[in-house]
């Protein structure tokens, strides 16, 4: 199964101006909060942001407000976390975010070739989204799997190794099909 935001999450990303924590998200956040002492609720901020991003498609200002309010942090402190780590998308992305590692070890094993291949196939550059909203292309730092170069990450969760042209085309076809479901 592909690691994609749900179609609903993508619709949310494209349209919704507001976001309210769902009961399901609250339940998942509560579980994270349970891992820390009661006076350390802020320790769950990263997990909370990831949960909301999965649900909403991106970390919008409303997501930041909701997380801050629910776990009892200042919104600016939550925003600092969201903007520090590149797995959080603080602007809307396509249904599938394709991150390509461009650090040196990957570059030495066709990482640049993989990135150029994707740019050509999708007709977009890094930090752009295809007009149909299916793909966003991002440049990533080392993913700690240099021996598997070229390495990619789909929606921050699914690691793809040894991405030659054939595997890239297969991945794009799989994700395009998933986007139609
Ligand atoms: S340089 Fe690409 S995974 Fe390490």
């Amino acid at each position: 199964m592909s690691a994609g935001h749900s179609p609903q999450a993508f619709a949310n990303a494209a349209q919704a101006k507001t976001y309210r924590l769902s009961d399901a998200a609250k339940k998942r956040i509560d579980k994270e909060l349970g891992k820390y002492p009661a006076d350390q609720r802020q320790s769950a901020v990263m997990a909370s942001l990831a949960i909301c991003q999965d649900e909403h498609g991106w970390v919008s200002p409303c997501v930041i407000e909701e997380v801050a309010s629910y776990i009892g942090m200042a919104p600016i402190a939550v925003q600092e976390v969201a903007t520090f780590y590149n797995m959080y998308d603080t602007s809307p992305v396509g249904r599938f975010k394709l991150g390509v590692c461009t650090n040196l070890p990957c570059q030495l094993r066709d990482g640049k070739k993989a990135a150029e291949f994707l740019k050509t196939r999708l007709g977009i550059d890094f930090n752009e989204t295809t007009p149909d909203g299916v793909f966003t292309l991002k440049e990533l730092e080392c993913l700690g799997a240099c021996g598997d170069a070229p390495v990619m990450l789909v929606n921050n969760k699914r690691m793809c190794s040894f991405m030659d042209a054939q595997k890239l085309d297969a991945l794009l076809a799989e994700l395009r099909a998933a986007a139609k479901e």
Side-chain angles (χ1 to χ4, degrees), residues 3-167:
H5 300 307
S6 69
Q8 189 55 46
F10 179 68
N12 289 342
Q15 296 162 12
K17 298 274 186 286
T18 58
Y19 169 77
R20 293 287 169 261
L21 279 177
S22 68
D23 289 342
K26 284 180 186 169
K27 205 169 158 190
R28 290 178 65 195
I29 293 173
D30 287 345
K31 198 171 165 195
E32 295 300 324
L33 288 166
K35 297 175 183 172
Y36 305 102
D39 62 349
Q40 298 291 321
R41 289 173 67 85
Q42 72 273 17
S43 300
V45 64
M46 291 186 67
S48 302
L49 285 169
I51 289 165
C52 295
Q53 178 167 273
D54 279 350
E55 186 168 84
H56 188 54
W58 63 296
V59 177
S60 66
C62 283
V63 165
I64 287 171
E65 291 285 341
E66 284 286 287
V67 168
S69 158
Y70 196 71
I71 67 174
M73 281 177 74
I76 186 67
V78 177
Q79 186 173 346
E80 282 169 0
V81 175
T83 52
F84 183 81
Y85 296 99
N86 69 4
M87 71 267 209
Y88 302 119
D89 299 307
T90 52
S91 56
V93 291
R95 180 152 173 220
F96 294 106
K97 184 174 77 167
L98 306 179
V100 185
C101 173
T102 57
N103 279 186
L104 187 60
C106 275
Q107 291 289 4
L108 293 173
R109 286 184 52 190
D110 291 340
K112 188 168 164 47
K113 213 165 146 185
E116 293 307 317
F117 184 90
L118 284 172
K119 286 180 188 177
T120 304
R121 276 286 192 267
L122 300 174
I124 55 174
D125 207 336
F126 284 131
N127 300 314
E128 291 181 351
T129 299
T130 52
D132 60 5
V134 176
F135 296 108
T136 296
L137 195 56
K138 293 275 182 183
E139 198 170 8
L140 296 182
E141 301 297 324
C142 179
L143 296 164
C146 319
D148 293 355
V151 176
M152 286 179 59
L153 202 55
V154 179
N155 282 356
N156 306 313
K157 291 188 176 75
R158 174 180 167 186
M159 181 88 86
C160 303
S161 305
F162 307 111
M163 297 308 286
D164 57 18
Q166 199 179 353
K167 289 183 83 173

